[in-house]
Amino acid sequence: MKAPDLLKMVTRTINFGRTRAVLTSLGITIGIAAVALLTSIGEGVRSYVMDEFSQFGARIIAINPGRNITGGMGGILSTVRPLSIQDAEALRQAPYVEYVVPVVQGAGALEYKQRARNVDIFGVSADMPAAWRFAVAQGRFLPRNNDARSSPYAVIGHKVKQELFQGESPLGQLIRIGGMRFRVIGVIEPKGDMLGFDLDDTAYIPADLALDLFNREGLMEIDVIFSPATDSTYMSALIKKMLIQRHGREDFTLITQDQMLTSLNSILSVLTLAVGLLGSISLLVGGVGILTTMTTSVRERTSEIGLLRALGATRAQVLSLFLAEAVTLSTIGGICGLLLMGGVTALAFLFAPEFPIRPHIPFLLIALLLSSLIGLIAGVVPALQASRLNPIDALRTE
């Protein structure tokens, strides 16, 4: 039996029992659609999260007070020197450093005339727009301050402007934040949300004034943005050396942006794979359906198998015939599953374009190969049963 003859017999058998073939492939169709859809959603979520964090650039090193060390009496008795604005100013003088942003964050009521709104308040420096890639839509950002104390200026987010000033120009107006008076000198362009955090419902004030406002001894973080002429490994070592000289010991933690992105990427990739494996459970149901159908088919076609053997077909050829039939059924189911997933994806793009779904071609190809593999595995037992039939006994069943 040649390959074209084998393919012709498989096609004829499937056409003869179209209803049974459709019902048998349905389980694989649903399983492949579930796996492809879940992995596409997982890939979309991974891309969304990575894009959100990458918008601040990849050349950022975040410095936080305190050091992650193993506990014990040494850790309990140790003290942490707060990060100061002077630390930030010292780091600004380091080679390859482009911007330094001291960060103090809190929340409070922002008042203008008779209106008030609770907003997130960031104490930052003049480098913030360039460092975090924020643009100023109106006015200007906080000026660089070389004196001991900054001027009480504030820059507000887009939503704060809309909600509090309601058509008025906020530039030059006086507002109160936590009882302190600030003059609005700028408005940040709309930035939207980042992982549920509204970047437009914020206000930016000088970091030294934020320390007073929130009654803090030290900064919550210092962000250092370095030049592309060097790398994060060199800059981490340089920053660590400078801060140890200032603090006397390593009482801080450095987190590079590429380290954070790599960790996030690994975690989200594992989650995507786990979700895909959960969806593959439905493929097992489809595999059982193929096994059942092929076993029934062997019993119903016993005399046909006997006739094939009597006409000279070998056991290997009978085995190949039933295996090819099982693989064809499962592959058809896999293709239909991918088409179903494509339809759902198209509807999502059409009616919910912001929904994070991104088909990943390698995952789709793996899903299609998986459907064929399941058909092959499910067809082994029935195919062996068919190939081991005695031709004389098989013909007697007619």
Side-chain angles (χ1 to χ4, degrees), residues 194-210:
M194 190 189 81
L195 302 178
F197 181 78
D198 191 349
L199 296 175
D200 296 329
D201 206 8
T202 54
Y204 303 91
I205 61 176
D208 54 337
L209 300 186

Side-chain angles (χ1 to χ4, degrees), residues 36-56:
L37 198 57
L38 289 173
T39 52
S40 297
I41 293 174
E43 183 65 15
V45 171
R46 188 190 68 81
S47 300
Y48 171 76
V49 174
M50 295 298 291
D51 290 344
E52 289 293 301
F53 278 93
S54 298
Q55 67 175 310
F56 297 107

Side-chain angles (χ1 to χ4, degrees), residues 81-126:
R81 176 176 170 176
L83 291 174
S84 64
I85 292 180
Q86 290 71 30
D87 289 332
E89 291 300 322
L91 292 174
R92 195 190 306 278
Q93 308 305 320
Y96 301 113
V97 170
E98 292 186 339
Y99 309 107
V100 176
V101 183
V103 180
V104 181
Q105 183 183 359
L110 192 154
E111 303 171 48
Y112 173 65
K113 294 183 178 176
Q114 303 303 316
R115 293 187 285 271
R117 182 176 181 81
N118 289 321
V119 301
D120 292 301
I121 300 163
F122 286 87
V124 293
S125 67

Side-chain angles (χ1 to χ4, degrees), residues 88-299:
E89 291 300 322
L91 292 174
R92 195 190 306 278
Q93 308 305 320
Y96 301 113
V97 170
E98 292 186 339
Y99 309 107
V100 176
V101 183
V103 180
V104 181
Q105 183 183 359
L110 192 154
E111 303 171 48
Y112 173 65
K113 294 183 178 176
Q114 303 303 316
R115 293 187 285 271
R117 182 176 181 81
N118 289 321
V119 301
D120 292 301
I121 300 163
F122 286 87
V124 293
S125 67
D127 287 345
M128 190 280 279
W132 293 358
R133 298 182 180 179
F134 283 23
V136 179
Q138 278 185 271
R140 58 191 174 94
F141 198 70
L142 302 174
R144 191 173 299 281
N145 179 43
N146 297 320
D147 300 326
R149 188 173 177 81
S150 300
S151 301
Y153 293 143
V155 177
I156 59 177
H158 180 71
K159 182 176 285 185
V160 177
K161 173 198 167 187
Q162 286 185 318
E163 296 293 333
L164 278 186
F165 293 92
Q166 301 181 355
E168 293 183 52
S169 173
L171 300 182
Q173 302 292 348
L174 290 174
I175 59 175
R176 297 185 72 85
I177 303 176
M180 296 176 65
R181 295 179 68 190
F182 293 86
R183 186 175 299 279
V184 179
I185 61 171
V187 180
I188 296 291
E189 70 170 5
K191 293 295 292 183
D193 293 349
M194 190 189 81
L195 302 178
F197 181 78
D198 191 349
L199 296 175
D200 296 329
D201 206 8
T202 54
Y204 303 91
I205 61 176
D208 54 337
L209 300 186
L211 288 174
D212 295 339
L213 182 67
F214 297 116
N215 194 25
R216 289 186 57 89
E217 293 184 1
L219 303 171
M220 298 172 69
E221 182 176 298
I222 298 176
D223 290 342
V224 177
I225 291 78
F226 56 89
S227 162
T230 184
D231 56 33
S232 59
T233 304
Y234 173 81
M235 288 306 299
S236 296
L238 180 62
I239 292 170
K240 185 180 292 186
K241 181 180 178 182
M242 291 180 66
L243 288 180
I244 288 176
Q245 287 177 348
R246 291 181 58 83
H247 290 205
R249 58 195 174 88
E250 187 176 346
D251 56 356
F252 51 86
T253 300
L254 302 183
I255 301 174
T256 62
Q257 185 78 344
D258 51 355
Q259 283 177 341
M260 188 184 68
L261 292 177
T262 301
S263 300
L264 268 178
N265 190 37
S266 300
I267 293 170
L268 293 173
S269 296
V270 170
L271 285 177
T272 301
L273 183 61
V275 168
L277 290 176
L278 285 175
S280 65
I281 293 174
S282 55
L283 282 175
L284 295 178
V285 178
V288 172
I290 290 179
L291 175 62
T292 305
T293 300
M294 293 305 298
T295 302
T296 304
S297 177
V298 170
R299 291 175 183 170

